[in-house]
Amino acid sequence: MEKRTTGVYREQAERRRRVRGTGEARGDGWQRTEADEQLLRLATRYSTLTLHQAAHACWGGRIEAARRRVRLMTEAGLLDRSAEVRWAGTVVWTTERGARVAGAGLGAPHPPGERLLHRLALTDVGLALEAAGHTVLTEREVRTAEASGRAAELLADLGVPGVHKGFPREPVLAVSAGVRAVHWPDLVLVLPGEGIGAVEVELTAKTPSALRRILRAYGQARRRVLYLGTEPVVRQLQGRPGPDGRWIDGVAQDVGLLPPGGPGPGTGLLRVRQFAADDPAVDRQAARYAQRR
């Protein structure tokens, strides 16, 4: 019975999708609002949002309002949604049609897969930074700007000083991590009048060698980076007290970005903080995932 009901709903939704417009013109049957367009931009830039994140970013936390608008945009072919992952609830992302309407200069993201938790954690952090008034570039925006050779132009337009336009040999927004390797930050934080910083969200500990390589890349680029990690990641980065009370250094001390003997301010290039998500479902799942790993 459940499968039949789901099939009927999908057929009805597909019929509505064919006959209803994007909410932009008279006769579409609904009117697209500024909040709707904001969600389309966010879902294109960040790839995936939970219904909770969408509601708080676009509708002042009103879940039912977000649910109604998501349904309309899904029926219009602007959004895809899924509730297959129980802990996440309903998640949304843009279709190709929705990405075009969003006007963010990006194609539609891939549907969420195994890295759903990391996607949603990045979305949570990015939305919180933007709500605090910061300018954030997502990894999708960073990769697109670097690939097109417009990274320097983008930063200059955002008020970052000392940026030379043109197609550079070295990455502008990413950091070189070897002769041919490049490390892509999870998020880039634009600091008008100063420069740019990176934000990394780590939910499980990497191998020490991989973490050293990334930290050295940031150190050599003189790029400020904020690491937001679960408890195991924080310990791996900045160390922990040993059984005798003496501090056991972490990887950040090994590469010289934190002073030995404690989680001090270091060179000023690295800050380490505990990850905490505004979305309770994302926060709980990140803690569970870290414990299992």
Side-chain angles (χ1 to χ4, degrees):
M1 181 66 179
E2 184 179 348
K3 289 184 178 179
R4 183 181 176 186
T5 303
T6 302
V8 170
Y9 169 78
R10 286 178 177 171
E11 289 176 7
Q12 292 173 342
E14 182 58 34
R15 283 198 298 272
R16 287 193 294 268
R17 186 178 293 115
R18 287 196 298 268
V19 300
R20 297 182 75 168
T22 62
E24 188 176 22
R26 180 175 296 179
D28 281 353
W30 64 293
Q31 187 66 44
R32 204 167 67 228
T33 67
E34 185 177 338
D36 297 337
E37 293 178 349
Q38 182 183 7
L39 176 57
L40 292 176
R41 287 191 295 271
L42 293 175
T44 303
R45 293 175 56 230
Y46 284 99
S47 299
T48 314
L49 281 79
T50 65
L51 193 65
H52 181 280
Q53 290 169 339
H56 282 263
C58 305
W59 286 280
R62 292 177 289 133
I63 297 292
E64 287 308 314
R67 197 186 309 277
R68 287 194 302 272
R69 303 310 293 184
V70 164
R71 177 178 59 80
L72 285 170
M73 286 188 280
T74 302
E75 292 173 354
L78 301 175
L79 287 176
D80 275 328
R81 62 179 173 178
S82 171
E84 294 180 359
V85 180
R86 180 176 298 180
W87 66 261
T90 299
V91 297
V92 299
W93 63 98
T94 47
T95 63
E96 285 293 348
R97 188 183 193 188
R100 287 195 300 272
V101 170
L106 302 167
H110 294 297
E114 293 181 358
R115 290 178 60 80
L116 174 62
L117 176 58
H118 191 253
R119 269 199 194 190
L120 295 177
L122 288 181
T123 299
D124 211 283
V125 171
L127 293 179
L129 288 169
E130 291 190 6
H134 297 289
T135 300
V136 175
L137 300 176
T138 67
E139 185 178 347
R140 300 195 77 219
E141 291 171 310
V142 168
R143 286 180 179 268
T144 299
E146 292 279 20
S148 65
R150 293 192 63 254
E153 181 181 348
L154 173 62
L155 290 182
D157 291 343
L158 290 172
V160 177
V163 178
H164 300 287
K165 297 184 180 182
F167 205 122
R169 294 183 178 181
E170 295 295 324
V172 176
L173 297 166
V175 289
S176 297
V179 178
R180 296 183 179 179
V182 170
H183 176 73
W184 300 95
D186 285 333
L187 300 168
V188 168
L189 193 60
V190 179
L191 308 169
E194 298 181 46
I196 58 174
V199 180
E200 297 283 351
V201 178
E202 294 288 356
L203 304 180
T204 57
K206 295 181 179 291
T207 63
S209 60
L211 196 53
R212 284 190 194 95
R213 179 177 59 83
I214 295 170
L215 290 176
R216 286 187 179 123
Y218 282 122
Q220 289 168 1
R222 306 300 297 171
R223 180 78 53 84
R224 284 182 284 180
V225 56
L226 168 64
Y227 258 89
L228 300 171
T230 53
E231 187 177 346
V233 175
V234 171
R235 289 199 305 267
Q236 185 187 32
L237 279 164
Q238 66 182 21
R240 65 191 188 281
D244 59 357
R246 295 183 181 180
W247 193 263
I248 299 174
D249 287 340
V251 178
Q253 283 92 353
D254 291 347
V255 300
L257 291 182
L258 286 180
T267 62
L269 295 178
L270 174 66
R271 286 186 298 154
V272 180
R273 298 287 185 271
Q274 188 92 21
F275 170 77
D278 290 333
D279 187 325
V282 176
D283 200 55
R284 287 193 298 268
Q285 187 64 16
R288 292 192 197 106
Y289 187 67
Q291 289 172 357
R292 288 200 303 268
R293 300 283 288 187

